[in-house]
Amino acid sequence: MIPAAFAYARPTTIDEALQAVASGGEDVKIMAGGQSLIPVMRLRLAAPETVVDLIKVAELRGVREEEDAIVIGAMTTHSDVLSDPLIARYAPLIAEATETVADRQVRHRGTFGGALAHADPAGDLPAVALALDAEFVIAGLAGRRTVPAAEFFVDYLTTALEEGELLVEIRVPKLHGTWGMHYEKFNRVAQAWSIVAVAALVRREGARIAEVRVGLTNMGPTPLRAAGVEAALVDVEATPEAVAAAAAHAAEGTTPSSDLNAQADYREHLAIVLTRRAVTVAAGL
Amino acid sequence: MTLVEEPAATQAPEKEIGKARRRKEDARLITGKTTWTDNMVLPGMLHLAVVRSPVAHGKITSVDVTAAQQAPGVIAVFTGRDFAEEQGSLPSAWAVTPDMVNPGHPSIAVDEVNHVGEAVAVIAARTKVAAQDAVELVDVDYDLLPVVLDMEEAVKDQANLCHDHVDSNTCYHFVFDAGEVGTGADTDQAFADADVVVSRRFVQQRLAPAFMEPRSVVVQPQGDNFTLWSSTQIPHILRVMLAMVTGVPEHKLRVIAPDVGGGFGGKLQVIPEEVISLLVARRLGKPVKWTETRSESLMTAHHGRDQIQFVDVAADREGNVKGLRVRLLADMGAYLRLITAGIPALGAFMYPGIYKFPAYRLEIDGVFTNKVPTDAYRGAGRPEATFAVERIMDELAVELGMDPLELRRKNWIQAAEFPFTSVAGLSYDSGDYEMATQQALELIGYDELREEQRRRRESNDPVQLGIGFSTFTEMCGLAPSRVLGSLSFGAGGWEQASIRMLPTGKVEVVTGSTPHGQGHETVWSQLVADSLGVPFDDVEVLHGDTAISSRGLDTYGSRSLVVGGSAVVKAAEKVVAKARTIAAHLLEASEDDLDFSGGTFSVRGTPGTGIGIQEIALGVWAAHNYPEGIEPSIDAEAAFDPENFSFPHGTHICAMEVDTETGLVKIRKYACVDDVGTIVNPLIVEGQVHGGLAQGISQALYEEAVYDADGNLTTGTFVDYLLPSAADLPHFDTGNTVHAAPGNPIGAKGVGEAGCIASTPAVVNAALDAVRHLGVSDILMPLTPERVWRAIHQGGDGGDRATAGTNAYGGASTETTSGVATDASSLGGDR
Ligand SMILES: Cc1cc2nc3c(=O)[nH]c(=O)nc-3n(C[C@H](O)[C@H](O)[C@H](O)COP(=O)(O)OP(=O)(O)OC[C@H]3O[C@@H](n4cnc5c(N)ncnc54)[C@H](O)[C@@H]3O)c2cc1C
């Protein structure tokens, strides 16, 4: 299909972008890789008056290291993420999840920031960001603010981004201690979205699991943390039984939808199985 | 290899038949540097966009086009009312029974709509964008009518009607009873006498053909002539049908199928948009183009399959089958398109498969529902039949406690019994089921797999392994014209070819069998190279334009090589015969004394004499010296009408892993050995098998066109209509046995559908074999992980899926294809 007519702006700096958004009229859409926005526009589910394309905003792209975090520019593409040494070193979970996103073509255009700002519950990166306790740096004409992941994802396709605001970068805190990570994605064909997926981080202390963090993809309108599982795995012996018992709590407090791929009860079941598998791998069991 | 040097002159040129030639057409097809219909740009061309019904069933109470007419760039807007007098009814070419009900199929709805996506108006505009923008400005009001979706409900008394001007939702009731026809024993008696009867209900889900190139039509009016380009499988049939439907005289209409990017039966159709484009071009006197979007395609191009099959098999305790009884409900959708009604009947004769059933009875009810019509899809009727018999044989084996392969062996036709007349009255031509099966067992490493299966069962492994068989045959090479006549099909099944010898010795082959990706250009060149003894590269194959190839019946039903290729060979024989007369004249010898080999005529016993057929072509063009009483031409034309179908067969074996914790199924190994008769090009045969396997596996595991309770198609994009990619398919171990088909000069049986027909039941049988010990005896297709998991853990067949589209793209797939959501339609409208 063909999108409805729209005005197009291509700023080169963050400030220009904010100006373009502010002056774009009633309904302005920011475009990152366009891999979610353009399909929606082509189907005429969105018909923005102005599209502000961030592709030329160089300062939004790339990964840098700070003392206690790595900072990922919003316009860093999925394929950039896959080859980035800082991500490989400090947050391999992001690369592991990104590798399951769509296909090569989409990964060359789609961006880390775009995927997070889009906040599709079936998208793989929101749950990963949530599990990593990432922080979202947001710029507006009035200045910048930082929102923790737990507050960034508000509802279905809705984030803490206010009108006129731009997601600039995502800070991923460096982890201390011995962490294992795993992203367990469940889908029907290679390039499909997650039916359910689980992001797991496990800190081991010798034979014990010291702490875990579990992010759930597509178990509700937003990504979720499996609090029950996390609570059950604080300083316990690292055994398959302990992991399985904890995983049984994975679906608590979730509100998955029913669609062609899965009805809610099956999603709840999947969350339990996949959590067990993800934590088992992350724990090195 | 021989060490003795042979003189070059006596070396026969290498045979082309049997060579794994790379396809000569691929470079242009793959790079897209060719004429796809949508690439065409004509001066002054207008673009069409179709306004489609968002409701599945309703009376049209008003259509307001004023705003659209005034939109920028819009030239005209037409409604069904505007074309009511001239649009006729889209053709239904197969009256399966004399009293079959055809409700009529306007190309643009006039008074009522009967499925979501039905055309209600068409915009003609200067640009595609302007046309698309104006679609939203057309205001149509509908009085909603009850929606008929479920066939089992639709055939009940007092059911809501899909069409209120007909009496019931039943289109036809077709019966084939071998006892009555005299090809078998009394079926009821066979069942009454049987030790064991197994009955099952199988469901063939709806599928979208999902060809790669979306459909596209361009029409150019010139005076009272029209040229229509279409991404169609059937330019020849289309020309006849369009002439009959629209009243444009056949000789004033030229139809061209340029390169066409796949069809799988989905373009074996006369589509509403072809008629609409022709009518708009005629009305405006301007060239027009219509090209669909993928969502439009999924929603409005005809679907395939969609049958409910009630299958009963009777046998004695030793496993000798005694009878087969089949009752089908076949979903026609809302209208009858070209062969909608006939698709289930095409399978009617294949339900007995390769087995010696003494008795057989089949009944079909064609049923109308408020969905897009069904029609041909790769295999068309035969995959359904194969699925039914190959699934029920497994069920019977379980009932009898027999090995599924032993049961098959016990009942299949032995190699020595060919030609064999089946209980459905078909004469199976040749083959050896045992040989193919043996090879397939070796290819897949059967014994090790069974051993592994045993281990996994014993250890209660969460991942179980199953092995499934499908030993199939099908009827190909459509079709003997007389047989088609006896089935009340509206056309014949012959094919036409002509060969033109150009002055420089190059050869043009004109075929009536229009390709849409199969590789005709390569294979026809191989045939002609061997027949005429000319180099492969000297042959050009022309097709798809009714002004160049005036006679033909196009490509479907694995007919091209078997029927169309045979016509080419026959034409080549005529060329050689005509050239022989001239050669004899030039060599001053008797025709009977001439040998023809490697493209050269020579006088027997007189080495060194000889004249090449390519030289003769030049000579006869100059025409300075040729015998009296004959025409100065060695060109020739031939039509070939087969006397019988051909019957490819094969054994397909699938090994399947089932994750019992999640229900995810994964093909571990797949091996098949097909007998497709003589193989002209092994590379193309293997390609056809691979593609067919992908589609057949995909029916088993991935694809389903799903409607919600309001008749909205929720699988409106490829996010929800799931297709596998290479990444999702296993390695295929393929092999062949070769039993030449006796019914055509090439000996080919047809390979276009084999993989697609055979694989679906092998895959489902494999999955069931993996979890049968857990109490599972059936799982609905596609085998989604959810269904497999439910069948294992909750019993039953996995049950219906939720109809809501997934939420990827913000639930786009549901919203685009639907305009109406009620509480019943579980669209997830809150998203
Ligand atoms: C075929 C296909 C398959 C896919 N499969 C998967 C999958 O399996 N898993 C998965 O996770 N994803 C999948 N995706 C989505 C992919 O990851 C997208 O790239 C991603 O969701 C959006 O990223 P984008 O850069 O393209 O964003 P865009 O489409 O450009 O934007 C998406 C939304 O975010 C907003 N936005 C973007 N950047 C900013 C910013 N800096 N500040 C504020 N708002 C912003 C836009 O306004 C828009 O609303 C798939 C996409 C396709 C086309």
Side-chain angles (χ1 to χ4, degrees), chain B residues 527-551:
Chain B
L527 293 175
V528 169
D530 274 4
S531 296
L532 298 183
V534 299
F536 173 83
D537 289 327
D538 282 0
V539 185
E540 185 71 16
V541 178
L542 308 176
H543 53 74
D545 179 344
T546 60
I548 293 171
S549 149
S550 57
R551 264 169 67 85

Short mmCIF file of all heavy atoms in Angstrom, two decimals, chain B residues 527-551:
data_model
loop_
_atom_site.label_atom_id
_atom_site.label_comp_id
_atom_site.label_asym_id
_atom_site.label_seq_id
_atom_site.Cartn_x
_atom_site.Cartn_y
_atom_site.Cartn_z
N LEU B 527 14.69 -30.39 -25.40
CA LEU B 527 13.92 -31.33 -26.23
C LEU B 527 14.22 -31.11 -27.70
O LEU B 527 14.47 -32.06 -28.46
CB LEU B 527 12.41 -31.13 -26.00
CG LEU B 527 11.83 -31.48 -24.63
CD1 LEU B 527 10.35 -31.09 -24.58
CD2 LEU B 527 12.00 -32.96 -24.33
N VAL B 528 14.19 -29.84 -28.10
CA VAL B 528 14.34 -29.53 -29.52
C VAL B 528 15.78 -29.77 -29.97
O VAL B 528 16.03 -30.25 -31.08
CB VAL B 528 13.89 -28.08 -29.79
CG1 VAL B 528 14.30 -27.64 -31.18
CG2 VAL B 528 12.38 -27.98 -29.60
N ALA B 529 16.72 -29.48 -29.07
CA ALA B 529 18.12 -29.72 -29.42
C ALA B 529 18.33 -31.19 -29.75
O ALA B 529 19.01 -31.53 -30.72
CB ALA B 529 19.02 -29.29 -28.26
N ASP B 530 17.73 -32.06 -28.96
CA ASP B 530 17.87 -33.49 -29.24
C ASP B 530 17.09 -33.91 -30.48
O ASP B 530 17.59 -34.66 -31.31
CB ASP B 530 17.39 -34.32 -28.04
CG ASP B 530 18.50 -34.53 -27.03
OD1 ASP B 530 19.61 -33.97 -27.23
OD2 ASP B 530 18.27 -35.24 -26.03
N SER B 531 15.86 -33.42 -30.61
CA SER B 531 15.02 -33.85 -31.73
C SER B 531 15.58 -33.39 -33.06
O SER B 531 15.53 -34.12 -34.05
CB SER B 531 13.61 -33.30 -31.60
OG SER B 531 12.99 -33.83 -30.46
N LEU B 532 16.08 -32.16 -33.10
CA LEU B 532 16.55 -31.61 -34.37
C LEU B 532 18.07 -31.71 -34.51
O LEU B 532 18.60 -31.41 -35.58
CB LEU B 532 16.14 -30.13 -34.50
CG LEU B 532 14.63 -29.83 -34.51
CD1 LEU B 532 14.41 -28.34 -34.73
CD2 LEU B 532 13.91 -30.64 -35.58
N GLY B 533 18.74 -32.04 -33.45
CA GLY B 533 20.20 -32.10 -33.52
C GLY B 533 20.83 -30.73 -33.68
O GLY B 533 21.85 -30.58 -34.34
N VAL B 534 20.21 -29.74 -33.07
CA VAL B 534 20.79 -28.39 -33.13
C VAL B 534 21.33 -28.03 -31.75
O VAL B 534 20.91 -28.61 -30.74
CB VAL B 534 19.73 -27.34 -33.56
CG1 VAL B 534 19.19 -27.67 -34.94
CG2 VAL B 534 18.60 -27.25 -32.54
N PRO B 535 22.27 -27.07 -31.68
CA PRO B 535 22.80 -26.70 -30.37
C PRO B 535 21.70 -26.09 -29.48
O PRO B 535 20.83 -25.37 -29.96
CB PRO B 535 23.87 -25.66 -30.68
CG PRO B 535 24.22 -25.89 -32.11
CD PRO B 535 22.97 -26.39 -32.77
N PHE B 536 21.78 -26.41 -28.19
CA PHE B 536 20.85 -25.89 -27.18
C PHE B 536 20.69 -24.38 -27.31
O PHE B 536 19.58 -23.84 -27.26
CB PHE B 536 21.42 -26.27 -25.81
CG PHE B 536 20.71 -25.69 -24.62
CD1 PHE B 536 19.56 -26.29 -24.12
CD2 PHE B 536 21.21 -24.55 -23.99
CE1 PHE B 536 18.92 -25.76 -23.00
CE2 PHE B 536 20.56 -24.01 -22.89
CZ PHE B 536 19.42 -24.62 -22.38
N ASP B 537 21.81 -23.68 -27.50
CA ASP B 537 21.75 -22.22 -27.51
C ASP B 537 21.14 -21.66 -28.79
O ASP B 537 20.88 -20.46 -28.88
CB ASP B 537 23.16 -21.63 -27.32
CG ASP B 537 23.63 -21.83 -25.89
OD1 ASP B 537 22.77 -21.81 -24.98
OD2 ASP B 537 24.85 -22.04 -25.69
N ASP B 538 20.92 -22.52 -29.78
CA ASP B 538 20.31 -22.04 -31.01
C ASP B 538 18.78 -22.02 -30.94
O ASP B 538 18.12 -21.69 -31.92
CB ASP B 538 20.74 -22.93 -32.19
CG ASP B 538 22.15 -22.59 -32.66
OD1 ASP B 538 22.77 -21.68 -32.06
OD2 ASP B 538 22.65 -23.25 -33.60
N VAL B 539 18.25 -22.40 -29.78
CA VAL B 539 16.79 -22.51 -29.68
C VAL B 539 16.25 -21.39 -28.79
O VAL B 539 16.77 -21.13 -27.70
CB VAL B 539 16.39 -23.87 -29.06
CG1 VAL B 539 14.86 -24.02 -29.07
CG2 VAL B 539 17.05 -25.01 -29.82
N GLU B 540 15.23 -20.73 -29.27
CA GLU B 540 14.54 -19.70 -28.48
C GLU B 540 13.10 -20.16 -28.30
O GLU B 540 12.48 -20.65 -29.25
CB GLU B 540 14.58 -18.36 -29.24
CG GLU B 540 14.01 -17.20 -28.48
CD GLU B 540 14.90 -16.75 -27.30
OE1 GLU B 540 16.08 -17.16 -27.27
OE2 GLU B 540 14.40 -16.03 -26.44
N VAL B 541 12.58 -20.00 -27.10
CA VAL B 541 11.22 -20.45 -26.84
C VAL B 541 10.31 -19.24 -26.64
O VAL B 541 10.60 -18.36 -25.81
CB VAL B 541 11.18 -21.38 -25.60
CG1 VAL B 541 9.75 -21.82 -25.31
CG2 VAL B 541 12.07 -22.59 -25.83
N LEU B 542 9.27 -19.18 -27.42
CA LEU B 542 8.32 -18.05 -27.35
C LEU B 542 7.02 -18.53 -26.72
O LEU B 542 6.56 -19.64 -26.99
CB LEU B 542 8.04 -17.52 -28.75
CG LEU B 542 9.26 -17.18 -29.59
CD1 LEU B 542 8.84 -16.75 -31.00
CD2 LEU B 542 10.07 -16.07 -28.94
N HIS B 543 6.42 -17.66 -25.92
CA HIS B 543 5.23 -18.11 -25.20
C HIS B 543 4.45 -16.92 -24.67
O HIS B 543 4.96 -15.80 -24.62
CB HIS B 543 5.64 -18.99 -24.03
CG HIS B 543 6.66 -18.36 -23.12
ND1 HIS B 543 6.36 -17.36 -22.24
CD2 HIS B 543 8.00 -18.57 -23.00
CE1 HIS B 543 7.45 -16.99 -21.59
NE2 HIS B 543 8.47 -17.70 -22.04
N GLY B 544 3.24 -17.19 -24.29
CA GLY B 544 2.51 -16.24 -23.45
C GLY B 544 1.82 -15.11 -24.16
O GLY B 544 1.20 -14.27 -23.50
N ASP B 545 1.91 -15.03 -25.46
CA ASP B 545 1.27 -13.93 -26.19
C ASP B 545 0.33 -14.56 -27.22
O ASP B 545 0.78 -15.30 -28.10
CB ASP B 545 2.37 -13.10 -26.87
CG ASP B 545 1.80 -11.93 -27.67
OD1 ASP B 545 0.58 -11.91 -27.95
OD2 ASP B 545 2.60 -11.04 -28.03
N THR B 546 -0.95 -14.28 -27.09
CA THR B 546 -1.90 -14.97 -27.98
C THR B 546 -1.71 -14.56 -29.44
O THR B 546 -2.20 -15.25 -30.33
CB THR B 546 -3.35 -14.72 -27.56
OG1 THR B 546 -3.62 -13.32 -27.60
CG2 THR B 546 -3.62 -15.26 -26.17
N ALA B 547 -0.98 -13.46 -29.69
CA ALA B 547 -0.71 -13.10 -31.08
C ALA B 547 0.48 -13.89 -31.63
O ALA B 547 0.66 -13.99 -32.84
CB ALA B 547 -0.43 -11.60 -31.19
N ILE B 548 1.30 -14.43 -30.76
CA ILE B 548 2.45 -15.22 -31.20
C ILE B 548 2.14 -16.70 -31.09
O ILE B 548 2.39 -17.49 -31.98
CB ILE B 548 3.69 -14.87 -30.34
CG1 ILE B 548 4.12 -13.43 -30.62
CG2 ILE B 548 4.83 -15.85 -30.62
CD1 ILE B 548 5.19 -12.93 -29.67
N SER B 549 1.57 -17.05 -29.97
CA SER B 549 1.18 -18.44 -29.73
C SER B 549 -0.34 -18.44 -29.70
O SER B 549 -0.96 -18.13 -28.70
CB SER B 549 1.76 -18.87 -28.39
OG SER B 549 0.94 -19.82 -27.79
N SER B 550 -0.93 -18.74 -30.85
CA SER B 550 -2.37 -18.51 -30.94
C SER B 550 -3.18 -19.59 -30.25
O SER B 550 -4.27 -19.35 -29.78
CB SER B 550 -2.79 -18.38 -32.40
OG SER B 550 -2.40 -19.55 -33.09
N ARG B 551 -2.63 -20.80 -30.20
CA ARG B 551 -3.39 -21.88 -29.58
C ARG B 551 -2.62 -22.43 -28.39
O ARG B 551 -1.42 -22.69 -28.48
CB ARG B 551 -3.58 -23.03 -30.58
CG ARG B 551 -4.92 -23.00 -31.32
CD ARG B 551 -4.91 -24.00 -32.46
NE ARG B 551 -4.85 -25.40 -32.02
CZ ARG B 551 -5.93 -26.13 -31.68
NH1 ARG B 551 -7.12 -25.61 -31.75
NH2 ARG B 551 -5.80 -27.38 -31.30
#
